[in-house]
Amino acid sequence: MIDLSKNENTCNILDVKDIISKIDFNRYSFDKNYKLLDELASFYYLNNNNFVLGNGSSNVIYMSLLALYKKANANIKLIAPLPTFELTIEYARNIGYSIDTFYEEFEIGISKINLDSNKTNVIYIANPNNPTGLTLNKEKLEYFNSICKDNTYMLFDEAYFEFANDYEGLELAKNPNILHIRTFSKMYSLAGIRIGYGISHSDFINIIKPYFSIDAINSIALNCAIYALKQKDFANTTRNIINENKKYLEEVFKELDIFYYKSQANFILHKIKDINYANYMKEQGIIVGRNIDNFPLLNRISIGNINELHEFTKALRLAKAKNLV
């Protein structure tokens, strides 16, 4: 079975066998977390108090939502576009947030954002967005930066930023109301060991820190993340491979007349004609993207390695013949 449903990096896998072989598994590692914080500070030319670690980027999202909820005494709402990374909305709803979602033709329609002066507002934006793969332009980035003050915060999910060509982002750790959330799971192919991090002004980091569990980061994750940051050419090499594979997949979609969205990430969102598409593809040995809330006739496919994409293409042609796509 070929799994192309989770945006994992199967194109260029970081070799961490030597790192793992040197780990003392009988020792706790939480008193070594500072080593990764120092490495991140050096990598980004910031201070170690501009970072918080997490058991994957989703853990950083959860900690941040919980911290802001407590700070606001539960008088808080989450504002998020659709479609998006749905787990964030699920976390917020379960914590107790009121939820305000909006949609505007797959672009982030800033006119739809409704700030409540009587509540703490938390805006969640993924850039590139998951599952569309679209990125924000400079004008919209500047708008978000301007409104994130006082009782308005933003969780800026940049899990896929390394895949974007000419990525446009905000200046790191400048706005004390914006948290940049990043991960080693995607570009660095370390999804299975679960490690992510947040970057912000120390004021925001201090809001989150009480909700960080010091033993959330295990020895393997800690040491592999430090090693990843030292591999200077890995991201560029991986991006080039994925861009080539993405180009191949785009040509297939064009040939089969399947509409797709131009993506700046390691996945492509495309249209389907039948909700049975995913089940049919699984019967052919390919696991494709999950159901997307409110968008049943869209599906997301990860940019896997070229052998995986060849097998996907075979199954896609069969699905096309059955008018499923």
Side-chain angles (χ1 to χ4, degrees):
M1 190 71 70
I2 294 173
D3 191 345
L4 296 174
S5 69
K6 303 183 187 70
N7 307 334
E8 297 150 330
N9 175 9
T10 61
C11 296
N12 189 30
I13 300 173
L14 193 66
D15 187 356
V16 294
K17 291 191 293 291
D18 287 345
I19 302 300
I20 293 173
S21 69
K22 296 173 183 177
I23 294 173
D24 294 325
F25 290 100
N26 62 319
R27 299 286 187 181
Y28 291 113
S29 63
F30 53 78
D31 58 346
K32 305 292 193 303
N33 287 344
Y34 75 91
K35 292 186 176 182
L36 178 53
L37 293 172
D38 288 347
E39 198 68 41
L40 285 165
S42 175
F43 186 84
Y44 286 106
Y45 303 101
L46 295 170
N47 298 313
N48 59 14
N49 63 358
N50 292 128
F51 300 89
V52 64
L53 304 179
N55 185 244
S57 59
S58 58
N59 179 230
V60 177
I61 292 170
Y62 182 81
M63 284 192 297
S64 306
L65 289 170
L66 184 59
L68 291 172
Y69 180 84
K70 296 290 188 179
K71 183 177 186 296
N73 292 318
N75 185 34
I76 192 167
K77 76 171 181 176
L78 181 78
I79 304 169
L82 293 177
T84 191
F85 180 51
E86 295 151 4
L87 187 59
T88 298
I89 297 175
E90 184 179 332
Y91 280 159
R93 183 177 289 115
N94 290 339
I95 289 171
Y97 280 66
S98 61
I99 307 296
D100 183 3
T101 55
F102 61 94
Y103 162 70
E104 189 175 25
E105 295 183 359
F106 286 79
E107 294 292 338
I108 303 300
I110 57 179
S111 63
K112 303 278 184 152
I113 294 175
N114 180 28
L115 299 180
D116 188 338
S117 60
N118 296 315
K119 285 187 175 184
T120 294
N121 305 277
V122 179
I123 303 168
Y124 172 74
I125 298 288
N127 191 44
N129 186 35
N130 175 17
T132 66
L134 302 176
T135 55
L136 296 173
N137 60 31
K138 187 175 182 179
E139 178 185 2
K140 290 183 178 178
L141 285 169
E142 289 175 349
Y143 169 77
F144 283 119
N145 194 46
S146 70
I147 65 172
C148 288
K149 58 187 177 182
D150 302 326
N151 67 332
T152 298
Y153 295 84
M154 183 164 77
L155 304 184
F156 198 46
D157 188 344
E158 298 177 293
Y160 300 96
F161 84 101
E162 293 125 323
F163 297 106
N165 299 314
D166 303 318
Y167 181 71
E168 191 80 59
L170 292 166
E171 195 170 358
L172 296 172
K174 292 296 183 182
N175 189 326
N177 285 38
I178 295 177
L179 179 71
H180 301 256
I181 301 164
R182 298 184 173 185
T183 183
F184 290 93
S185 294
K186 306 303 183 181
M187 172 59 76
Y188 289 104
S189 70
L190 298 177
I193 67 171
R194 308 302 302 135
I195 186 159
Y197 56 100
I199 311 171
S200 189
H201 190 283
S202 59
D203 288 353
F204 201 156
I205 298 299
N206 287 335
I207 294 171
I208 303 168
K209 272 184 178 179
Y211 300 90
F212 170 68
S213 174
I214 61 170
D215 57 1
I217 312 301
N218 65 65
S219 297
I220 297 176
L222 182 71
N223 286 278
C224 288
I226 292 170
Y227 175 74
L229 289 173
K230 294 178 179 179
Q231 309 313 301
K232 302 303 182 184
D233 297 326
F234 185 85
N236 286 334
T237 300
T238 304
R239 188 184 307 107
N240 290 337
I241 295 170
I242 287 175
N243 281 342
E244 283 298 310
N245 291 358
K246 191 188 301 182
K247 183 178 178 181
Y248 161 79
L249 196 52
E250 289 173 342
E251 291 301 319
V252 171
F253 284 136
K254 289 175 184 175
E255 177 195 341
L256 297 179
D257 194 27
I258 299 171
F259 180 87
Y260 68 92
Y261 293 88
K262 192 73 175 176
S263 172
Q264 288 289 331
N266 66 332
F267 53 83
I268 292 179
L269 185 70
H270 65 92
K271 289 187 176 180
I272 62 176
K273 294 180 179 178
D274 194 306
I275 59 173
N276 294 313
Y277 164 76
N279 287 335
Y280 177 80
M281 293 295 281
K282 191 171 183 179
E283 291 171 2
Q284 310 311 309
I286 310 291
I287 302 174
V288 296
R290 66 185 188 277
N291 292 332
I292 300 171
D293 285 354
N294 302 309
F295 302 93
L297 295 182
L298 291 174
N299 197 269
R300 188 196 66 194
I301 190 72
S302 304
I303 307 297
N305 63 53
I306 198 63
N307 292 329
E308 291 172 329
L309 293 184
H310 284 160
E311 293 303 312
F312 167 74
T313 299
K314 291 178 187 177
L316 187 67
R317 293 184 188 281
L318 294 174
K320 179 69 176 179
K322 290 184 173 293
N323 204 36
L324 298 175
V325 291

